[in-house]
């Protein structure tokens, strides 16, 4: 069974530029999560999807971050414009059911200069 | 408050020996899931073991086992026969009522050869 796929693995941009991350969850997993993880900290949930609907985006900085999950499968997370403090690893995870074990992709390391 | 506490920022163990990582949490619920995740330097989050609170039997996965004390709200991870590949950050997490994960701050495990 293929795991959660994410791309790109690394991205370096300058502040005020835009960037997009892609995630493909495990086949059949209805729930998809985007996390931001700053070095030395645990993951922080940005947004949770159930199929193609948003369950929780209370911690998503909506003035600059957006996410979508068209057709309830792949998802993209966008940052526009990026700030220095957005430098982090962005993790995508999926689970078969809400509250079930979450399986993570390899993450995207973002560096904003 | 829904919190997960890992009181050991860093632990070290000699290769082939046993180490226990501690985790405590706060909850008023009677049924919930608990997880231990491992994050090596590659930053990919890997599910190590899970425990369902209604099950009294401690979960075991090969060299990894938990000591789940429901009344004490304690969920420690025991790693037997430690190997160099076990070196990583270990995060304890609990599912809360909205099916999201509450994460501990992590414990860095160092394996001494």
């Amino acid at each position: 069974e293929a795991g959660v796929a994410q791309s790109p693995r690394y991205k370096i941009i300058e502040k005020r530029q835009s960037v997009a991350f892609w995630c493909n969850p495990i086949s059949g997993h209805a729930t998809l999560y985007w996390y931001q993880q700053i070095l030395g900290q645990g993951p922080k949930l940005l947004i949770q999807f159930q199929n193609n609907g948003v369950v929780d985006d209370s911690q998503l900085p909506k003035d600059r971050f957006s996410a979508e999950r068209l057709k309830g499968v792949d998802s993209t997370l966008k940052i526009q414009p990026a700030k220095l403090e957005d430098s982090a690893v962005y993790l995508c995870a999926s689970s078969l059911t809400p509250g079930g074990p979450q399986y993570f992709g390899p993450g995207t390391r973002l560096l904003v200069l | 408050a829904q919190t997960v506490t890992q009181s050991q920022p860093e632990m070290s163990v000699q290769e082939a020996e046993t180490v226990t990582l501690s985790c405590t949490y706060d909850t008023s619920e009677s049924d919930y899931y608990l997880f231990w995740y491992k994050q090596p330097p590659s930053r990919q989050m890997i599910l190590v073991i899970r425990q369902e609170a209604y099950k009294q039997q401690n979960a075991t996965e090969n060299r990894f086992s938990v000591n789940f004390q429901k009344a004490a709200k304690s969920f420690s991870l025991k790693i037997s026969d430690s190997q160099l590949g076990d070196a990583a950050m270990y995060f304890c997490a609990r599912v809360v009522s909205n099916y999201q994960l509450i994460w501990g701050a992590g414990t860095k495990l160092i394996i001494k050869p």
Side-chain angles (χ1 to χ4, degrees):
Chain A
E1 179 183 82
V4 177
Q6 286 187 251
S7 68
R9 293 295 308 277
Y10 304 92
K11 191 73 178 179
I12 301 174
I13 61 173
E14 295 189 351
K15 60 183 179 182
R16 291 188 289 275
Q17 286 187 325
S18 63
V19 64
F21 311 130
W22 174 82
C23 173
N24 183 264
I26 293 172
S27 178
H29 281 200
T31 314
L32 185 146
Y33 312 80
W34 281 103
Y35 291 91
Q36 179 192 61
Q37 188 181 24
I38 294 172
L39 190 64
Q41 300 180 16
K44 170 189 167 185
L45 180 68
L46 293 176
I47 189 166
Q48 176 184 348
F49 290 95
Q50 181 65 23
N51 296 308
N52 60 348
V54 175
V55 174
D56 189 329
D57 62 358
S58 58
Q59 297 195 86
L60 187 73
K62 297 180 187 63
D63 58 334
R64 299 184 300 107
F65 286 65
S66 64
E68 61 182 10
R69 191 184 184 196
L70 300 176
K71 301 180 182 179
V73 180
D74 294 10
S75 176
T76 56
L77 176 69
K78 296 179 182 178
I79 307 175
Q80 182 180 7
K83 292 185 175 181
L84 296 177
E85 58 260 38
D86 297 332
S87 294
V89 175
Y90 291 83
L91 298 167
C92 178
S94 70
S95 64
L96 186 61
T97 57
Q102 294 183 23
Y103 296 91
F104 286 77
T108 296
R109 293 197 195 196
L110 173 67
L111 179 59
V112 182
L113 301 176
Chain B
Q2 300 186 98
T3 57
V4 174
T5 302
Q6 293 180 249
S7 59
Q8 305 151 318
E10 185 175 297
M11 291 282 286
S12 63
V13 63
Q14 205 71 35
E15 192 177 3
E17 293 188 347
T18 296
V19 64
T20 299
L21 309 183
S22 67
C23 173
T24 59
Y25 56 93
D26 193 12
T27 184
S28 57
E29 300 165 10
S30 60
D31 193 18
Y32 44 88
Y33 281 93
L34 294 158
F35 302 98
W36 277 99
Y37 282 89
K38 166 186 175 181
Q39 189 176 41
S42 67
R43 303 297 296 273
Q44 177 154 12
M45 198 71 79
I46 301 165
L47 177 65
V48 175
I49 199 166
R50 65 171 165 171
Q51 176 78 42
E52 297 163 76
Y54 71 88
K55 290 186 177 179
Q56 293 187 342
Q57 186 173 4
N58 289 325
T60 299
E61 289 286 342
N62 301 313
R63 297 183 295 106
F64 299 87
S65 62
V66 300
N67 182 5
F68 175 48
Q69 303 287 332
K70 190 173 183 179
K73 298 177 184 175
S74 171
F75 181 58
S76 60
L77 175 69
K78 185 172 83 170
I79 306 173
S80 304
D81 185 24
S82 299
Q83 300 176 1
L84 295 177
D86 295 333
M89 284 291 290
Y90 285 82
F91 291 94
C92 176
R94 183 177 79 81
V95 178
V96 294
S97 57
N98 59 359
Y99 303 119
Q100 294 173 8
L101 286 177
I102 299 295
W103 297 82
T107 296
K108 182 179 181 179
L109 179 63
I110 299 168
I111 310 295
K112 299 177 183 176

